[in-house]
Amino acid sequence: MGSTVIHSVLLFDGVSIYSDASVTFDLESGTITSVSTTPTPSTDYPSGAAVIDGKGCTLLPGLIESHMHVHNLHLPPGASEDDILRSPLRCGVTTVCDMHSDPESVTKQRKAVAEELAQAKKSNGTVTMSDLKSSLYGATIAGGWPKPVVLGHNPTEELKALVETWPNVTVETAPDFVKSHKAKGADYIKLMQENCCSLAMPTGAIPVATLELQTAVVNAGHAAGFPVVGHALSVDMTEVVLKAGADGLTHTFVDQPPPQSTIDLYKKNNAFVIPTLTILASLTNELQDWRDQFADLAKQKKLVDDFTVQNMREAMNVKDAAAKLEYAFDTVKRLRQEGIDVVAGTDAVAGLKGSGIGPSLWMELLLYIEKCDMSVTEALHSATALPAKRFGFSDRGIIAKGKRADLVLVKGNVTEKLATLWEGEGIVGVWKQGVKAG
């Protein structure tokens, strides 16, 4: 196995932009062996290296989708699960972060990813699946979130029985919950904080975790070396997660504009937010034209199957009457102004209305630019170096010597126009740990 050189390319390394750069990576180790931000003579290329002329293209780190779910609970019986990790890789997403799935599903998918990569290296073949990070199960409580959303569409006896096996975390069992997750290979801990006040359900319709419980889980998570993030869709629930000491929120809220108290808590914790504007738009039944646009795009480029194309067009439409997507836009703008990190994620799930794993991240990033005043490079940063930093994924997210060779080559200048990712030739090459995606 040899090296590959991409030369004369516009490089966005996850933070900064360089013109006429060269990047060399090694197939056997799966890592980047050199980065030059000035023209490199061909005599300096490794002997026998495969050489790619990157002129007219942009080279990016593999994108990171920081909020999705790898389970199949929203799919109808018999529906294919093949695209859960394949459709994101087609979109340049080399890492996905699952935010609540059963350990069996995660283990099954991780095994498939590892076996595929090993076989590709052995046979000089290609890969088709994104890398998978996971919280495993979130710190659920008896009868609490996300039970209503999972049981809402198809409450079969089998599904009810499965939900009953979810953790029932208490203050006393929080340390054991975290210890068990660490032993099973979790990458971070996920809290669930939901009272339904932003949803088309009566406020308090389900049991709600207490501040005491969430603090116990956060403390146990931090003691074990985990980042801890939390679900919340309203201001009051967001503040509970932040008062518990969490490192980030896996949604922003839609029930009201951002109050100063919430901003202050974000700043106190140095917490980050994963806005998930794509799924919030489905929740509030707004931005139908955006859903149609990206569904059309996904169909045209054959990124997902026909079921998912139709699924991307539909909306959950489960909001409380007062909830507005505009509040989410305003909150992201305000958090940015206050120096709070915004990390890209969509809450995409196979079968969840309004989402398609992979194309939804493109929509999410464009929403940051067009609705939240981000620059293109800031949006790209939110899906590369920033999530890697905030989740502690020290081996990826940036193009630098010694990092994983998770790379995306795009025809044109993505740093000036995000739509270059999908317009025209779009993505012309993806590598995961130095192995070409096929």
Side-chain angles (χ1 to χ4, degrees), residues 66-67 69 97-100 134-139 177 187-193 214 217-218 221-222 226-232 237-238 240-242 244-251 266 269-274 343 387 390-393:
S66 291
H67 187 163
H69 297 266
C97 297
D98 168 71
M99 285 291 171
H100 173 74
S134 180
S135 66
L136 306 181
Y137 280 133
F177 168 81
D187 297 290
Y188 37 83
I189 299 297
K190 169 81 178 291
L191 309 177
M192 298 295 186
Q193 189 67 39
Q214 303 296 40
V217 178
V218 170
H222 286 168
F226 284 121
V228 182
V229 295
H231 163 104
M237 296 292 95
T238 296
V240 170
V241 171
L242 291 169
D247 302 289
L249 271 296
T250 60
H251 302 279
Y266 265 103
N269 286 24
N270 186 29
F272 62 92
V273 64
I274 305 171
V343 172
R390 295 308 309 246
F391 280 103
F393 305 154

Side-chain angles (χ1 to χ4, degrees), residues 88-123:
L89 195 64
R90 296 181 193 122
C91 299
V93 180
T94 53
T95 301
V96 295
C97 297
D98 168 71
M99 285 291 171
H100 173 74
S101 289
D102 59 283
E104 292 75 20
S105 293
V106 174
T107 299
K108 175 185 172 182
Q109 294 280 16
R110 282 177 168 170
K111 181 180 179 183
V113 169
E115 289 177 349
E116 179 188 64
L117 182 64
Q119 181 59 35
K121 287 193 172 187
K122 182 178 179 180
S123 62

